[in-house]
Amino acid sequence: SMERWEEVRRDAEAIGRMSLPKDATVDRHSESTVADEWKRIFDLLMIAYRLPSRSRRLIGRQSQGGVLTDPLSAGIDVLTGSEDPYGYEKRERREQTEKLPIRFSNDFLLDTTASMTAQNSEGVTLLELERQFVLSSVYAGYRLNERIKQRIAELANVPTITHHILTIHGGSKWQEVLKTAPAELKELAAIDESMRRPTRGAGGMAEALEHYVKTLEEDASTVAALANGDMLKTLTIMTDDNLWCAICGQESCNYMLHGPTIKRVNKALSRARELGVVVNAIGFTEQSRPVAVLFAVEGDPEAAVVVETLGEALASHHRQTIRAMRPVIAAAQKKSGMTSTKLL
């Protein structure tokens, strides 16, 4: 219903007003807000993908350079004693169109098991923090797509933001909420609704990741697009990493008890990275500390982080987003002469 959509929109726009530290912004010069940074990314997309300017034919004096194309005018000038005859054609250099990715897939694997009802130091449940986080990011993708549609006539290529979203539920279950498509209003409401119903028992983390990889492997066009730079794909995993314990029959915060599951998770993640997916994991509060160990990537401190608040999670995600979009941001900066901007 429109009432439900309005509620989701208000929530997402409230999150958009939250602050980001300067190291999580595009230019890294000053603090900003979530909404302002997504607007900045949109502006850079418009510059990076704009149609090349048409070259102009300019006729001028010999001293200005160019090729003689009007010998009559030049001859008249010479006969009248001019030392700098007119009639030399020079064309403005045409803007170069760089090869850039045109598909951006911002994917999520979300934990909706009962252990996510634990609270942070501010009394907010991990599930609510997760809901607000994904709602903000998917709404930003929706808004970017809508803005891009309004400016298609200006663009050489039309970038599209899509999402592949899976949730894990108690009883080793999982659900595919959105399969590699742009988010529309109904999907935003469905995503929001799916985050409000926690279930007891450990979720099907390994099963969901294996499905994610299988879906990717079976999509030849996406695999090719990732390989040749036509697509950027990120996967953000949000979980407290409590797994089902076969010994006690309950969720366990000791991830070391779950060797077979961990092996499957790591195998799936390795394959996703081989295919070109940028994977990062976010855990809320110290009870999610296993996230930092299980999903760690050597040399990349942002690959697996444990945070306390929504603001810290959003900042981490923006750092990863900017890193993933570096080729596009660099192309836009080059076109607009923003050479002083410092990229992550």
Side-chain angles (χ1 to χ4, degrees):
S1 68
M2 285 305 298
E3 292 81 8
R4 186 76 187 86
W5 154 240
E6 280 299 318
E7 181 184 343
V8 170
R9 182 188 62 79
R10 285 194 298 270
D11 280 356
E13 292 186 352
I15 298 163
R17 292 189 287 273
M18 293 184 67
S19 296
L20 287 174
K22 64 181 181 180
D23 71 334
T25 65
V26 171
D27 61 19
R28 304 187 72 184
H29 289 161
S30 59
E31 292 184 1
S32 185
T33 66
V34 172
D36 284 346
E37 284 307 296
W38 283 117
K39 175 61 167 59
R40 188 171 298 178
I41 288 172
F42 167 75
D43 291 339
L44 290 170
L45 286 173
M46 291 300 99
I47 296 171
Y49 293 94
R50 73 187 175 196
L51 285 165
S53 337
R54 293 180 178 177
S55 59
R56 290 191 301 165
R57 183 186 178 205
L58 303 173
I59 305 295
R61 299 286 175 183
Q62 184 179 22
S63 61
Q64 295 174 302
V67 178
L68 178 62
T69 58
D70 187 357
L72 179 60
S73 295
I76 293 172
D77 278 358
V78 170
L79 290 173
T80 56
S82 173
E83 295 181 358
D84 192 12
Y86 182 83
Y88 288 78
E89 181 179 327
K90 185 178 180 182
R91 289 185 177 271
E92 284 188 338
R93 187 177 178 182
R94 194 178 183 88
E95 225 175 35
Q96 295 296 311
T97 302
E98 298 184 41
K99 178 179 171 58
L100 293 171
I102 56 173
R103 295 168 58 193
F104 301 88
S105 192
N106 188 16
D107 305 340
F108 296 93
L109 177 59
L110 307 169
D111 188 342
T112 63
T113 57
S115 62
M116 295 291 286
T117 57
Q119 298 180 348
N120 70 355
S121 59
E122 298 175 346
V124 183
T125 68
L126 311 190
L127 191 63
E128 176 61 12
L129 292 170
E130 183 181 43
R131 184 190 72 84
Q132 292 177 349
F133 175 93
V134 73
L135 192 63
S136 168
S137 186
V138 176
Y139 179 74
Y142 163 76
R143 291 282 292 143
L144 280 174
N145 284 334
E146 291 301 304
R147 287 170 171 166
I148 289 168
K149 288 176 187 176
Q150 296 170 11
R151 304 273 294 272
I152 282 179
E154 303 171 29
L155 304 176
N157 291 300
V158 181
T160 303
I161 292 85
T162 61
H163 306 277
H164 190 181
I165 301 176
L166 300 98
T167 54
I168 60 174
H169 307 269
S172 295
K173 296 178 181 178
W174 58 274
Q175 178 184 358
E176 194 168 51
V177 181
L178 182 61
K179 183 177 178 180
T180 314
E184 301 294 343
L185 300 186
K186 62 180 181 179
E187 280 86 15
L188 278 162
I191 292 163
D192 180 67
E193 198 63 36
S194 70
M195 303 298 296
R196 296 177 181 271
R197 301 190 299 271
T199 51
R200 294 180 60 82
M205 172 74 73
E207 292 83 356
L209 282 171
E210 287 166 350
H211 174 78
Y212 178 84
V213 171
K214 183 173 182 288
T215 301
L216 180 55
E217 289 177 327
E218 292 175 349
D219 186 348
S221 64
T222 293
V223 171
L226 287 169
N228 63 27
D230 288 335
M231 184 179 190
L232 295 175
K233 195 171 182 67
T234 62
L235 171 63
T236 300
I237 301 169
M238 306 198 76
T239 179
D240 61 1
D241 217 30
N242 285 359
L243 300 172
W244 184 266
C245 179
I247 298 173
C248 66
Q250 300 293 327
E251 274 192 296
S252 168
C253 61
N254 186 352
Y255 76 100
M256 295 301 291
L257 292 176
H258 309 278
T261 299
I262 291 171
K263 186 175 181 180
R264 290 170 61 194
V265 166
N266 283 330
K267 183 179 179 181
L269 290 177
S270 294
R271 180 57 180 151
R273 291 185 176 111
E274 284 174 10
L275 292 169
V277 181
V278 178
V279 182
N280 68 298
I282 298 175
F284 286 106
T285 77
E286 280 301 309
Q287 82 168 46
S288 303
R289 181 55 55 184
V291 168
V293 180
L294 179 57
F295 299 105
V297 175
E298 187 175 353
D300 184 0
E302 293 293 334
V305 298
V306 175
V307 299
E308 184 69 25
T309 66
L310 176 62
E312 291 170 334
L314 291 168
S316 176
H317 187 55
H318 271 265
R319 292 185 195 102
Q320 288 289 61
T321 299
I322 293 168
R323 288 173 61 186
M325 296 185 71
R326 183 180 291 145
V328 176
I329 294 173
Q333 290 169 335
K334 182 179 177 181
K335 282 188 175 183
S336 60
M338 297 160 54
T339 54
S340 63
T341 300
K342 183 177 176 184
L343 290 178
L344 287 174

